[in-house]
Amino acid sequence: MSTARQGPLLLGVRHHGPGSARAVRSALDAARPAAVLIEGPPEGDALLELAADPGMRPPVALLAHAADDPGRAAFWPLADFSPEWVAIRWAQEAGVPVRFMDLPAAHSLAAAGEPEAERPEPDAVRLDPLAVLAETAGYDDPERWWEDVVEHRGTGGAGEEALGAFEALGEAMGALRDTYGDGGHRRDLVREAYMRQRMRAARREFGDGYAVVCGAWHVPALRAKTTVAADKALLTGLPKVKVETTWVPWTHRRLARAGGYGAGITSPGWYAHLFSARDRPVERWLTKVAGLLREEDRQVSSAHVIEAVRLAGTLAAMRGRPLAGLTETLEAARAVMCDGSDVPLALIEDRLVVGDVLGEVPDAAPVVPLQRDLTRQQRSLRLKAEAQERELELDLRKDTDAAKSLLLHRLRLLGIGWGTPTASRGSTGTFRETWRLRWEPELSVRVAEAGIWGTTVLAAATAKAEADAAAAEELGEVTALAERCLLAGLSEALPAVLRALADRAALDTDVARLAKALPALARSLRYGDVRGTDATALGAVAAGLADRICVALPPACAAGLDADAAAELRGHVDGVHTAVGLLADADDGLRERWAAVLRTLSGRDTAPGVIRGRAARLLLDDGRLEAGDTARLMGLALSPAAQPADAAGWIEGFAGGSSGGGTLLVHDDRLLGLIDSWLVGVPERAFTDVLPLLRRTFGAYEPGVKRTLGELVRRGPAASAGAARSAGDAPEGFAPDLDPERADAVTELVRMLLASPDGVAAA
């Protein structure tokens, strides 16, 4: 280290600044310190040697969490272009000690867990030092100021130049702290007291021949002359917890401010490019942009790249900037490569400016046993964790795909949301599953939290399911849990879940809750059959629940229900009807018992109109209600004696939603005529009240159906179906009677649509 310099070498940096990172390496090369101290928790010192492991690929983060509460955690992310990472790797390559020097995570995590009443008052205003310096220099954007004065000024190749830049930045921060004090960063006073203690320890070991790499804001405080007693006073009485640390993969997206990271940057992908592209960064960047757009089938040639480079340089010159920055390159790309459109520009910003780079951590990094088992399964199933969202299509008839499904469902039960189920495309069979996968760094914390339940994913999910069943207070919670257990293949947890299910079902007398629970049980039986899971006991519980619903539902549909309660019960009627269809194979009499309930509801005058109408429609769809009887029920519901609001509710129940009510009315002129006649006769005042419900009912129809209904109504009720069609003005494809020849023509196509890929009919 230079003899002209007094005291240790203090390198104040911007976290994740590529210019700072290059300058740090240049300064360390020039000064050759005997040791390096890095801003970070000392608990990570034992893990620093892993930074040199070939399996360590930034971005990564040092994770610290409370041993008895893994959810209380903190991250210290590092990228290739982070000055701290560069300093760590320099020290390892130079063979000199490197250590962390910030306040221990044991104290910071303990403070985070304090009750609100015991915490210090929150800071009112927190100073952004870069924003103040940028404003002083006449900039309205701190990012642009930083690019101009650091990222675009030199390459960090000259050691003395880099040392001079750090001195200047330290002086600027000193002036700010003289003016603004702690700038609202009150917690930093405690952190800086601890840093000074670590520096004193380093001085005793290395003299002044060591270097410190920390945020530039801290440099003035670390240079300040303070006493040991004063620093000890700040650190006395700090709360403390036992802490465990490890390295975890991180992503560029999580380095961005939009990802919620406090010391984040707006453009990690751009900064990574500036750090790796030592020459002609603009040309190389716009070449990347062109490659991305070509992958999206946009016509972008080398001529576009050349013109965009010229435009970016011209914009930078007009604005007095030393080099085209991100703003200029994006403007040039938008004008030249994107035809002025913001749509491809948004893709560039998402994929390149931010990016989905996911780091890797070596196997030697300490992890909880659950994480080790998860990693083993990920590798054996070739289910790689990726930062970019992707869809995964699974065919559960294949062993590997079924194993992937079980793993993802077990992780969801443990609160590890790596995958989210989504609607399958091209098939409604139960052997298909589609997942949307994205690995977020925070999931490492969720894995650590779930480690309390077991050392393997299967054992942990089983224990968690049993505990959830015991703690569940409502029937719906247990039925949902039973479904999740079957999806996850947790056969050992099912007995405990079923006991809880039977107990709560026996005690629950609310028919709405019973009706809400039954569909989940029916789905559970269906999925259990697909996965080969024995769900006999679950079937017995479901059958008992269905019988109780058949008895309790009609009395519950009384006249005193308000509109919201009636609409909720109508939804439960739909759910139970679907569930009965799934359960009927195991109970031949259940379908008949449920049909009797629907007949009772359809003809009970005291039941709300929306429920009577829905019951009639379900009976009609099942072939249990003749067209004439349907017309009679509709005529009664829409008679002059009926209240308009109740009549409108009947129509909503009968013809609303996605039940194909519009197509039914197109084919049955009698039903359409009844509705049309009733609607014409509704008094003006009442019409205003029922209009919103009618618009909701008919507004959901497809445009073609609405046009056809409008044409039928325009012709008026006097034009019967036969007369209209004999005149040749009926909508194409409709006739009074079935055309056998036309019906037979589509038989083969229907058979193909209903068949699975291997020729077996889909479930």
Side-chain angles (χ1 to χ4, degrees):
M1 183 170 295
S2 174
T3 56
R5 188 181 307 278
Q6 295 183 350
L9 175 63
L10 299 183
L11 303 179
V13 301
R14 183 193 186 187
H15 301 299
H16 317 307
S20 288
R22 287 194 299 268
V24 162
R25 177 169 286 279
S26 296
L28 293 175
D29 284 338
R32 309 302 299 181
V36 179
L37 302 184
I38 308 290
E39 183 180 331
E43 292 94 340
D45 284 354
L47 303 174
L48 279 171
E49 63 180 359
L50 289 174
D53 191 297
M56 181 76 84
R57 295 178 56 189
V60 294
L62 187 68
L63 164 63
H65 63 82
D68 60 349
D69 183 9
R72 197 191 311 175
F75 298 93
W76 286 262
L78 297 168
D80 276 323
F81 51 86
S82 299
E84 298 88 346
W85 181 260
V86 169
I88 292 170
R89 295 296 294 122
W90 182 92
Q92 291 172 331
E93 293 166 4
V96 302
V98 56
R99 299 165 186 168
F100 286 120
M101 63 177 295
D102 204 347
L103 186 71
H107 296 310
S108 56
L109 291 178
E114 288 180 347
E116 292 292 334
E118 298 178 13
R119 296 185 189 176
E121 288 295 322
D123 300 332
V125 178
R126 293 175 63 88
L127 178 72
D128 182 351
L130 291 186
V132 175
L133 293 175
E135 184 179 359
T136 304
Y139 284 75
D140 58 0
D141 183 357
E143 293 286 336
R144 187 175 302 171
W145 173 81
W146 182 260
E147 281 192 347
D148 285 355
V149 300
V150 177
E151 308 303 340
H152 298 162
R153 297 287 187 184
T155 63
E160 289 302 321
E161 178 184 348
L163 291 171
F166 283 118
E167 288 290 337
L169 188 57
E171 291 177 5
M173 292 297 171
L176 285 178
R177 297 199 70 152
D178 288 343
T179 303
Y180 296 100
D182 61 21
H185 302 258
R186 297 171 190 168
R187 179 173 169 271
D188 287 347
L189 299 179
V190 177
R191 294 175 57 203
E192 289 159 354
Y194 188 86
M195 290 183 194
R196 288 191 291 266
Q197 283 198 344
R198 297 282 284 187
M199 290 173 65
R200 293 184 185 105
R203 184 177 296 112
R204 289 192 295 269
E205 187 174 357
F206 306 107
D208 283 339
Y210 66 93
V212 171
V213 178
C214 63
W217 175 253
H218 302 300
V219 169
L222 300 186
R223 283 181 178 161
K225 301 297 183 182
T226 59
T227 65
V228 174
D231 286 342
K232 283 185 176 180
L234 286 172
L235 299 170
T236 299
L238 291 179
K240 189 176 183 179
V241 296
K242 186 179 179 181
V243 167
E244 295 177 356
T245 57
T246 187
W247 289 106
V248 296
W250 204 251
T251 67
H252 276 179
R253 192 170 299 280
R254 276 295 186 238
L255 283 172
R257 285 201 183 100
Y261 168 52
I265 51 179
T266 58
S267 50
W270 166 252
Y271 272 12
H273 170 78
L274 289 181
F275 184 70
S276 61
R278 300 302 180 92
D279 65 312
R280 308 179 74 85
V282 175
E283 290 85 344
R284 296 180 186 275
W285 173 259
L286 289 171
T287 300
K288 284 185 180 180
V289 171
L292 174 64
L293 294 177
R294 290 189 192 111
E295 291 175 0
E296 299 297 322
D297 295 328
R298 294 188 67 89
Q299 300 300 316
V300 180
S301 67
S302 56
H304 287 91
V305 176
I306 294 171
E307 185 58 33
V309 170
R310 289 176 179 170
L311 178 56
T314 301
L315 290 172
M318 291 174 59
R319 295 166 181 172
R321 306 193 69 184
L323 185 71
L326 180 60
T327 302
E328 287 73 29
T329 57
L330 289 179
E331 289 178 1
R334 182 181 186 276
V336 178
M337 300 180 180
C338 304
D339 299 323
S341 173
D342 288 332
V343 176
L345 186 67
L347 178 69
I348 295 169
E349 292 175 335
D350 181 68
R351 298 279 185 85
L352 295 181
V353 176
V354 177
D356 284 308
V357 177
L358 175 65
E360 295 181 10
V361 171
D363 293 338
V367 294
V368 296
L370 180 62
Q371 176 66 70
R372 202 170 299 282
D373 180 63
L374 173 57
T375 301
R376 178 189 61 78
Q377 293 195 53
Q378 287 173 325
R379 290 175 178 171
S380 66
L381 296 174
R382 297 182 180 179
L383 202 56
K384 186 177 180 181
E386 296 176 327
Q388 186 172 354
E389 185 175 277
R390 68 184 181 97
E391 278 197 355
L392 178 67
E393 298 279 352
L394 298 178
D395 184 340
L396 302 183
R397 297 168 298 181
K398 300 177 180 178
D399 292 342
T400 301
D401 282 8
K404 291 177 180 178
S405 171
L406 292 176
L407 175 62
L408 293 171
H409 279 296
R410 289 167 183 172
L411 291 176
R412 277 177 56 81
L413 195 147
L414 287 169
I416 305 169
W418 178 19
T420 303
T422 186
S424 295
R425 294 175 295 180
S427 174
T428 57
T430 56
F431 57 82
R432 294 285 187 192
E433 271 188 0
T434 302
W435 292 81
R436 187 172 292 114
L437 302 182
R438 170 178 278 181
W439 185 266
E440 301 284 4
E442 289 82 355
L443 294 178
S444 299
V445 177
R446 305 285 83 81
V447 174
E449 286 182 300
I452 64 173
W453 298 108
T455 58
T456 67
V457 175
L458 175 58
T462 299
K464 179 71 160 53
E466 292 174 345
D468 287 349
E473 297 181 355
E474 293 186 3
L475 178 62
E477 297 178 45
V478 190
T479 54
L481 181 60
E483 182 177 13
R484 297 176 73 182
C485 284
L486 285 170
L487 291 171
L490 302 179
S491 56
E492 292 186 6
L494 271 178
V497 175
L498 290 177
R499 284 195 300 271
L501 179 60
D503 291 344
R504 282 153 184 77
L507 296 175
D508 204 324
T509 58
D510 188 321
V511 69
R513 286 200 293 265
L514 296 176
K516 185 178 180 180
L518 184 62
L521 292 180
R523 289 194 303 270
S524 298
L525 288 167
R526 181 188 189 196
Y527 285 122
D529 180 63
V530 171
R531 287 166 170 77
T533 305
D534 184 7
T536 305
L538 189 63
V541 175
L545 205 62
D547 285 337
R548 291 179 61 192
I549 292 170
C550 289
V551 172
L553 186 60
C557 298
L561 293 176
D562 60 21
D564 291 338
E568 181 182 357
L569 267 181
R570 172 257 174 101
H572 291 323
V573 169
D574 278 344
V576 172
H577 185 75
T578 302
V580 167
L582 296 175
L583 297 172
D585 292 339
D587 185 348
D588 294 335
L590 178 58
R591 199 186 297 273
E592 293 299 328
R593 293 196 297 276
W594 175 244
V597 172
L598 293 178
R599 290 192 190 94
T600 299
L601 292 176
S602 66
R604 177 168 289 181
D605 294 340
T606 57
V610 67
I611 295 177
R612 300 199 319 273
R614 194 63 191 153
R617 178 59 192 276
L618 294 175
L619 289 169
L620 178 65
D621 289 346
D622 281 355
R624 296 175 180 273
L625 192 65
E626 298 294 334
D629 293 332
T630 304
R632 181 182 61 81
L633 288 174
M634 181 179 285
L636 292 173
L638 305 183
S639 68
Q643 293 295 323
D646 191 65
W650 196 97
I651 296 173
E652 163 68 11
F654 184 84
S658 57
S659 56
T663 305
L664 176 66
L665 296 179
V666 166
H667 284 275
D668 197 321
D669 282 359
R670 289 177 301 170
L671 299 182
L672 178 60
L674 286 170
I675 294 177
D676 183 44
S677 299
W678 169 80
L679 188 59
V680 171
V682 173
E684 182 177 352
R685 292 182 180 178
F687 183 81
T688 304
D689 294 333
V690 302
L691 181 59
L693 184 59
L694 295 173
R695 292 188 64 178
R696 185 176 68 190
T697 301
F698 297 109
Y701 292 168
E702 295 180 356
V705 171
K706 287 190 283 189
R707 284 195 299 270
T708 303
L709 288 175
E711 176 62 24
L712 291 174
V713 172
R714 184 188 64 81
R715 284 193 258 116
S720 67
R725 286 162 188 154
S726 64
D729 59 352
E732 183 180 355
F734 295 107
D737 302 310
L738 178 68
D739 186 337
E741 184 177 351
R742 297 185 67 186
D744 290 342
V746 302
T747 303
E748 185 61 29
L749 177 60
V750 171
R751 189 174 289 115
M752 291 173 60
L753 291 174
L754 294 178
S756 63
D758 59 1
V760 180

